[in-house]
Amino acid sequence: MVEIAPVSTALERALALLRAGEPVAIPTETVYGLAADACNGAAVARIFEAKGRPRFNPLIAHVSSMAMAETIATFDPLSRRLADAFWPGPLTLVLALAQGSPVHPLVTAGLPTVGLRMPVGFGRDLIDRLGHPLAAPSANRSGRVSTTTARAVAEEFGDRIRLVVDGGTTPVGVESTIVKVERDGLRLLRPGGVPAEAIEALAGLPLERGAGAGIEAPGMMSSHYAPDAAVRLSAAEVRPGEALLAFGPRRAGGAGHAVAVYNLSERGDLAEAAANLFSALKVLDSSGAKRIAVEPVPMHGLGEAINDRLMRAAAPRGKTTDG
Ligand code: TXA
Ligand code: MG
């Protein structure tokens, strides 16, 4: 089985593997990532191999400093303000690739843009020591839900990777928010750990939703994040054979008959709900229920990211997936 080592002792071992071109699973504040040296094409290819991705989608390059970010991408003034305000943290900026960027084209899938973010904690320390950016998609097999514990990562990959660095349960629980500054505004490519309202307040601009002209965000494909069980949203009652994904203090009708119940947050706290989301889906999926009924979750703040992931989990299967 894959080695699991705590952050307190894993840094040197992780560095050695990364320098040898091996992918390593690491904790970030959002979800676990499967990281490789973003400048080493063969190492990045091994990420796709381990994830079993059907095709090469662009990956986020993670940096430890603004100086490193500026070797990779060109910052317009608004992107710089967003980076100043939210980095390190769960915000990914899609930026123009800089001339002479050291990031391998496999990371950007050959696009003239690159997704960049600066993570909090162990990941940032590791990148700083490595001296190179890390390409890191979420540490799950293609088309499955993201992982928020080291154990879930180990179950996901088994012997396909050598090391999982254990940083405990990831505090944010959903992936980073992805935005792109466009000529005429600011586009939300994926809701995530930074609420849209916080970005809008800083930018003084409303976020445009949905794919713009020529936008390439394969991670936005509808059947991403699929558990094995079917998912039914905005459930007012639990039907026979269903498990219940609950939210808040009041229960849907028939909750007493649910195959299993998992409450994202008894007190209706959206940050707590986001942190619990992926493990809740896994727990209910393994209950053997044929379907998961989901109580309504409000759309404000982190609720937008939670509802986005739930809608993907509920989407018809078999469409293009990212990972
Ligand atoms: O929180 C996160 O963002 C986690 C942790 C590990 O950092 N990472 C993550 O990576 O969620 P991944 O590969 O599962 O999702 C990355 C998303 C994909 O939807 C991809 O299409 C989008 O970022 N992306 C990356 N580069 C892009 C680009 N140049 N243009 C548009 N979308 C891009
Ligand atoms: Mg992913």
Side-chain angles (χ1 to χ4, degrees), residues 29-102:
E29 76 279 31
T30 56
V31 296
Y32 277 74
L34 185 60
D37 182 342
C39 305
N40 178 341
V44 175
R46 302 208 49 201
I47 295 177
F48 290 105
E49 193 176 55
K51 282 185 65 99
R53 274 202 182 182
R55 59 198 174 90
F56 293 162
N57 295 313
L59 305 178
I60 296 168
H62 298 68
V63 297
S64 56
S65 66
M66 265 322 271
M68 183 184 281
E70 281 169 339
T71 66
I72 300 170
T74 311
F75 284 75
D76 58 274
L78 178 53
S79 294
R80 187 176 297 278
R81 277 171 55 213
L82 290 168
D84 286 345
F86 296 109
W87 283 2
L91 177 71
T92 295
L93 295 167
V94 173
L95 299 161
L97 204 54
Q99 284 275 324
S101 166

Side-chain angles (χ1 to χ4, degrees), residues 51 53 137-140 144 146 175 190 224-225 322-323:
K51 282 185 65 99
R53 274 202 182 182
S138 51
N140 51 274
R144 293 171 45 86
S146 298
E175 300 85 346
R190 178 176 75 180
H224 198 179
Y225 306 107
D322 166 31

Side-chain angles (χ1 to χ4, degrees), residues 61 63 73 77 92-93 106 165 170 188 194 217 231 253 267 274:
V63 297
T92 295
L93 295 167
L106 203 44
V165 179
T170 58
L188 179 67
V194 177
V231 174
R267 58 200 162 94

Side-chain angles (χ1 to χ4, degrees), residues 300-318:
H300 59 85
L302 290 175
E304 185 172 0
I306 295 169
N307 279 299
D308 172 80
R309 303 308 186 270
L310 287 170
M311 261 151 31
R312 288 171 207 290
R317 306 295 157 76

Side-chain angles (χ1 to χ4, degrees), residues 3-51:
E3 177 187 351
I4 303 180
V7 288
S8 53
T9 62
L11 191 73
E12 297 301 331
R13 171 103 176 100
L15 273 174
L17 287 168
L18 291 170
R19 286 181 181 133
E22 293 267 351
V24 174
I26 61 165
T28 81
E29 76 279 31
T30 56
V31 296
Y32 277 74
L34 185 60
D37 182 342
C39 305
N40 178 341
V44 175
R46 302 208 49 201
I47 295 177
F48 290 105
E49 193 176 55
K51 282 185 65 99

